[in-house]
Structure formats: structure tokens, C-alpha cells
Amino acid sequence: MRNPSSKPQAAAAANSTGAGASSNKTKVGLKRGPWTPEEDELLSDYIKREGEGRWRTLPKKAGLLRCGKSCRLRWMNYLRPSVKRGHIAWDEEDLILRLHRLLGNRWSLIAGRIPGRTDNEIKNYWNTHLSKKLISQGIDPRTHKPLEPNYSDSNNENKASSSKLHHAVADHPSSSSYEPSAAVVIKDSRDASTSNIPIDGIEFNSDDQYQNPETTAGEVHVNMQNADHEGDVTYGMDLRSSHEGFSNEDDDDTNYCTDDIFSSFLNSLINEDAFNSPNLLQQQQLQPNSTSTATDCDALISSTTAFTFGPGWDAPSVASTSSSDHNDPKLTNEKVEKQF
DNA sequence: AAAGGTGTCAACCGCTATAAA
DNA sequence: CTTTATAGCGGTTGACACCTT
């Protein structure tokens, strides 16, 4: 197995053909493939001077023979100072698992909750590690439920294009085949599909799921029926904004809310999820050698804007012993309210 | 030691959403 | 309303390092 931390330098140093590129120069003389240190420097210097944005014109101004898209990707996934590289810690992995269970293949959303990690990195990590890990534990990575006996067969039948075996486990489009039982309907404004998110103990507007994206666009209806807090809470949210934070410019509609609200909402879902998931508890029990501590998690979480977990998230042992507290939607709601 | 297989991940592709002209 | 530019997303590819035989 390769040392992941050594890869960036190696990749950056490689200056010939690149991943996904059949030739080095195509499309009117634009260079493709791995970035050289010189190109990285040009791009970094330019962005430090001029700032991000205007990607189409950036390469020319920066003296790069790359398309703007490639520049943007390189900056976002590699050169940005905030990008954290290296091994994904256990608590990060755990958070990815929880978020994937909630959100499906919404890599950008997941990445937005994990400081310093990019969607590409998380997607790769999921495809290469976590999905296999779940399968080895008898868990369907698409649904986070126990695998069906014929999982592999049906999965392969539905494969459309990937020819590599190791891609098969990752070949689960975010919504088309992902049909958990429960139901948060999250409509991505960019996307005609919806995510159907399983959350035990919370009932979510199940009538509309998958059927009518228009009627549910941008909204999550949460009906906390088993709580002291009765009545519906409607969250309108632009999921695209999660990466950069909300603009707060188009909040004419009072139903629409800020990133903080979405953050809090998601936090509450994660907390709910954390204490209602046998799979996660099982997984946590499978990590006896984990060095993760509450401090680790605190450090991770504190660096995220408006991202506050309750104490029960900190350590698996707490989750297993005080789950009743964290199943209490009242507490979850109080945490949400504290955000304001 | 060599060949083939496998795993990893940076980079690419195609597509959609949004804003501005 | 249409067109164009820009930004961003998820899925996929392929080079390369490592592993196994």
C-alpha cells in the first residue's frame, strides 16, 4: 500500500501524462494531466495577488496553459491553504460515515462539514476505503443497512460503465438507487434528484419523496412527533451554499434560513443518527484501538463555523451509555436554538 | 527479479444551476 | 426570453506505487 502522504509531491513532480488524460495537450494547446510545481506556484501566486474567481480568464493572466476549470480544481482540491492533507483520522472517518448515511453521495455537503477536507478527497476515501469497509462488515454502503444476500450480483447488474472491479462498490448514484426507508427529502437546487435520508425517530414529509421534486425544492419538513416540541419545522435551504456559506442575500422569504440553521439542523440529525444506528455502534465497537478522544473531536469540530456537537458525539463509550439523553429531541432542539 | 494484479488519488468529463448581459 | 459565462457537483479515468505470485 502506498503512503498517501507521499503522493501529492510525487504527483506534482510528475510532469508527463496525467490521470484521466490520454494526451498532454489537447483542446487548443491546453495542457492536461498532473500539475508541475511551477504551475502550482504560478497559480498560487496569482490567486494570492488577485484572489479567487474569474477562472476562465485566470490561466491566461497567470501565464498558465490550463483551462480555468482545471485551475479551479487544482486550487480547490490542493493548493488552498485551508486544505488539510494526510491521513483521515478516525473521528473524521466516523463523521464521514454519519454524514454519508444522512446525505448519500453529497460529497460537497459532506466535505463542507469536515474542516480542511475536499469533496474529492472524501469521495476518493469513501470509494477506496469506507465502502469496502462497510461491505466487509456486511453493511450496504448505499443504504447503510445490512447487505442483502445477493448484494454483489444486483450491484453488478446495475453497473453502467465502470470497468474496474474496485469501482463497483462505489457505483451508487446519489439518489437513483438509494432508497432508504425513512425520509428527509433534501432537494439540491442543482440537481433534479432528491436525497432520501433515513433517520430513525423523526418523521419527514414522506409523501413527497422522490415523487415531486418541485414541491419539495429547497425544503425539509421535520415533524418532531415524538418530542415535547410538537409541530412542523420547515427548513428551506440551498444546499449549494453549504460549501462557502450562505450569501444571505435572497432571504426575502422568511421560510428561508441561514447556513447556521442548516448547520444546526444537520448537527441535530447527526446526533440523532449517532444514537440510533446499530451499525455505527457496531463500527465504534470495532475500533478498540482508536486513539480518538473527546479532545480530538472537539478540535475538529471547533474549527467548523456554527458546528457544535453535543457531548454525546465525542466518544463511542458515551454514546453507548447515555443514549437516552441524546435521543431526546428536546435536547437536540435546545442545541439548535442555542445557535441563535 | 519479473510480471501481473490491485489500490490510491489527482485530474478529467459531462452536466446543471445561477447570474448577468 | 435567450444566450453566455461562471461556478460547482458527482462520476469516472488512468498513471503510478505497492503487493502478490
Side-chain angles (χ1 to χ4, degrees), chain A residues 177-318:
Chain A
S177 61
Y178 179 42
E179 270 192 86
S181 57
V184 174
V185 179
I186 291 181
K187 170 68 169 62
D188 188 335
S189 60
R190 180 188 71 76
D191 187 333
S193 64
T194 58
S195 282
N196 193 0
I197 300 165
I199 298 162
D200 300 334
I202 307 178
E203 186 172 313
F204 294 101
N205 192 29
S206 56
D207 293 344
D208 286 336
Q209 57 178 312
Y210 291 116
Q211 305 305 316
N212 193 348
E214 285 74 24
T215 61
T216 59
E219 294 184 353
V220 176
H221 303 276
V222 182
N223 186 8
M224 302 280 192
Q225 288 190 333
N226 59 346
D228 294 333
H229 301 259
E230 288 188 5
D232 293 347
V233 179
T234 300
Y235 294 97
M237 52 194 179
D238 179 0
L239 297 177
R240 292 189 76 176
S241 303
S242 64
H243 227 25
E244 309 290 326
F246 276 22
S247 65
N248 293 333
E249 293 165 359
D250 52 354
D251 287 342
D252 296 332
D253 186 338
T254 54
N255 273 341
Y256 280 74
C257 60
T258 66
D259 189 34
D260 287 350
I261 295 178
F262 178 48
S263 294
S264 302
F265 172 61
L266 195 50
N267 293 343
S268 69
L269 295 188
I270 294 168
N271 284 335
E272 293 283 342
D273 186 61
F275 304 104
N276 284 297
S277 169
N279 293 344
L280 286 166
L281 289 176
Q282 176 193 349
Q283 171 145 17
Q284 287 159 353
Q285 289 158 4
L286 288 172
Q287 305 280 346
N289 297 325
S290 169
T291 57
S292 175
T293 63
T295 305
D296 291 334
C297 284
D298 288 346
L300 168 68
I301 291 155
S302 63
S303 61
T304 310
T305 304
F307 191 54
T308 307
F309 279 104
W313 198 85
D314 291 341
S317 59
V318 177

Side-chain angles (χ1 to χ4, degrees), chain A residues 4-5 7 42 75 87 97 104 110 125 146 154 158 170 180 199 236 266 270-272 274-275 281 284 288 298 321 326:
Chain A
S5 60
K7 180 62 185 293
L42 280 173
W75 174 255
H87 281 298
L97 281 164
I110 294 172
Y125 189 73
S154 59
N158 291 334
I199 298 162
L266 195 50
I270 294 168
N271 284 335
E272 293 283 342
F275 304 104
L281 289 176
Q284 287 159 353
D298 288 346
T321 55
H326 304 287

Side-chain angles (χ1 to χ4, degrees), chain A residues 31-188:
Chain A
K31 190 183 175 194
R32 297 170 49 169
W35 281 64
T36 64
E38 291 75 23
E39 288 177 308
D40 283 346
E41 195 176 344
L42 280 173
L43 180 57
S44 293
D45 288 348
Y46 180 84
I47 291 176
K48 280 171 192 167
R49 278 199 321 270
E50 307 293 335
E52 293 181 39
R54 299 175 298 280
W55 297 107
R56 191 181 177 89
T57 56
L58 184 151
K60 194 175 180 181
K61 292 179 179 176
L64 288 161
L65 289 172
R66 298 273 181 172
C67 68
K69 203 172 182 177
S70 181
C71 292
R72 180 189 156 271
L73 204 66
R74 183 64 179 171
W75 174 255
M76 294 295 189
N77 287 338
Y78 192 82
L79 296 174
R80 259 191 314 177
S82 59
V83 171
K84 177 165 60 177
R85 309 209 66 81
H87 281 298
I88 290 182
W90 176 80
D91 44 8
E92 290 177 294
E93 178 180 310
D94 185 58
L95 186 53
I96 293 169
L97 281 164
R98 293 164 197 264
L99 288 166
H100 188 273
R101 185 167 185 262
L102 290 169
L103 301 169
N105 292 6
R106 304 287 176 133
W107 306 117
S108 62
L109 276 178
I110 294 172
R113 316 296 305 181
I114 303 176
R117 300 294 183 184
T118 68
D119 54 355
N120 207 34
E121 187 176 15
I122 289 171
K123 180 172 58 181
N124 283 333
Y125 189 73
W126 178 268
N127 289 337
T128 56
H129 294 94
L130 293 183
S131 63
K132 293 171 189 173
K133 188 173 177 178
L134 289 182
I135 288 172
S136 72
Q137 294 173 3
I139 298 168
D140 187 339
R142 294 174 302 175
T143 62
H144 294 257
K145 292 180 175 178
L147 274 173
E148 298 168 12
N150 59 347
Y151 168 81
S152 57
D153 291 342
S154 59
N155 194 48
N156 287 335
E157 281 172 13
N158 291 334
K159 277 204 305 169
S161 60
S162 179
S163 59
K164 284 194 175 181
L165 181 63
H166 71 269
H167 286 152
V169 293
D171 194 15
H172 52 282
S174 60
S175 59
S176 61
S177 61
Y178 179 42
E179 270 192 86
S181 57
V184 174
V185 179
I186 291 181
K187 170 68 169 62
D188 188 335

